[in-house]
Amino acid sequence: MYERYCQQKEFKAKILEQSFGEGGGPEGRIGTKSATLEIKGKYAFGFLKKETGVHRLVRISPFSPQKLRHTSFALIEVLPEISKIDEEEMKISPDDLRIDVFRASGPGGQYVNKRESAVRITHLPTNIVVSCQGERLQGLNKEKAMKLLYAKLYQMKEKERQKEIKEVKGKPVSAEWGSQIRSYVLHPYKMVKDLRTNIETSNVEAVLDGNLDEFIEAEIKS
């Protein structure tokens, strides 16, 4: 959905990391377990930052032999790219990092699974884990993973700052399970509803195809 939204907005979207569920699908995998997208474009973060939160999908699962209705939840985090100045302010000691390399997984032609180019970085003081496997060279994957780490540490600092001033600004929306912001229902009826702005539409297919402007603009205005 977000890749298609980016195409419509002429943003550049690239998958940095993707992990798959296990099961009887192609190559023994079913669906996407997690994914990290890098999105570049004018005001991209400004448009997308309010998409942070829990998204709920209700549908007849294509993986259910009995064709039963299933409810799925996806947690979305939208992080800004941190400038070098901010990186210098958030100095990270090399001793605080554990860096693991592994073979890239997933579709990607003959290059995949031949070299240990994928990188996983664990920030030991906070236990934040980031990874990148979208580039062919290990050095580039490490660079992208470090940018993700800086962004997550920045987000953590922002949450701490918001807690200190919540009496002034009110309680911020938390990106934790239970903080559902939007529902996408495909069965027994069709409806997409944003629980923050009450914007809704029955054209679920269009929304899942990336037509998010109505929801995003309403949240920005609010």
Side-chain angles (χ1 to χ4, degrees):
M1 182 178 74
Y2 288 110
E3 281 184 302
R4 291 171 179 173
Y5 171 78
C6 290
Q7 289 173 1
Q8 294 177 22
K9 302 296 285 188
E10 296 186 349
F11 295 160
K12 292 181 180 179
K14 181 177 183 179
I15 296 177
L16 297 183
E17 182 273 337
Q18 186 173 11
S19 62
F20 301 88
E22 297 179 359
E27 302 179 22
R29 301 174 310 198
I30 287 183
T32 296
K33 187 176 179 181
S34 68
T36 303
L37 285 176
E38 178 185 61
I39 297 172
K40 290 185 177 291
K42 194 171 184 180
Y43 307 122
F45 179 68
F47 281 114
L48 290 168
K49 64 181 180 180
K50 294 295 185 179
E51 291 295 288
T52 292
V54 176
H55 296 243
R56 172 176 171 260
L57 173 67
V58 181
R59 63 171 180 172
I60 300 292
S61 173
F63 308 114
S64 171
Q66 293 82 24
K67 301 297 181 184
L68 299 176
R69 185 178 69 171
H70 283 239
T71 299
S72 303
F73 295 91
L75 175 62
I76 306 295
E77 287 184 294
V78 183
L79 307 171
E81 186 175 45
I82 306 302
S83 68
K84 290 185 178 180
I85 297 175
D86 290 326
E87 288 180 11
E88 290 172 2
E89 292 176 357
M90 295 188 295
K91 289 180 181 177
I92 297 176
S93 169
D95 296 334
D96 290 340
L97 301 179
R98 185 177 74 238
I99 301 176
D100 303 303
V101 295
F102 57 99
R103 293 182 179 181
S105 62
Q110 20 183 335
Y111 175 78
V112 169
N113 294 329
K114 290 191 177 180
R115 292 184 183 178
E116 293 186 335
S117 59
V119 175
R120 181 186 299 111
I121 299 176
T122 305
H123 186 244
L124 299 175
T126 60
N127 206 32
I128 292 175
V129 180
V130 294
S131 60
C132 180
Q133 62 181 37
E135 304 290 344
R136 291 197 168 193
L137 298 178
Q138 186 183 112
L140 290 176
N141 281 323
K142 181 180 177 182
E143 183 181 331
K144 297 274 189 182
M146 283 300 297
K147 284 190 174 184
L148 281 171
L149 177 58
Y150 278 116
K152 284 184 175 287
L153 288 173
Y154 176 82
Q155 182 193 54
M156 181 178 289
K157 285 195 170 187
E158 278 295 293
K159 282 185 177 180
E160 292 173 357
R161 186 181 66 83
Q162 287 173 2
K163 284 180 181 179
E164 294 174 357
I165 59 174
K166 66 180 180 181
E167 290 83 7
V168 178
K169 293 182 65 177
K171 187 177 179 181
V173 176
S174 173
E176 307 295 337
W177 297 106
S179 301
Q180 181 179 316
I181 64 169
R182 191 178 300 145
S183 290
Y184 310 76
V185 181
L186 285 83
H187 186 84
Y189 56 89
K190 293 190 175 185
M191 179 69 67
V192 179
K193 181 172 183 178
D194 194 289
L195 303 180
R196 302 161 300 176
T197 61
N198 289 322
I199 295 292
E200 60 182 52
T201 178
S202 59
N203 194 351
V204 181
E205 289 81 4
V207 174
L208 294 177
D209 206 34
N211 293 331
L212 296 170
D213 281 336
E214 184 179 10
F215 294 96
I216 288 175
E217 289 173 8
E219 180 57 33
I220 290 174
K221 289 176 182 177
S222 70

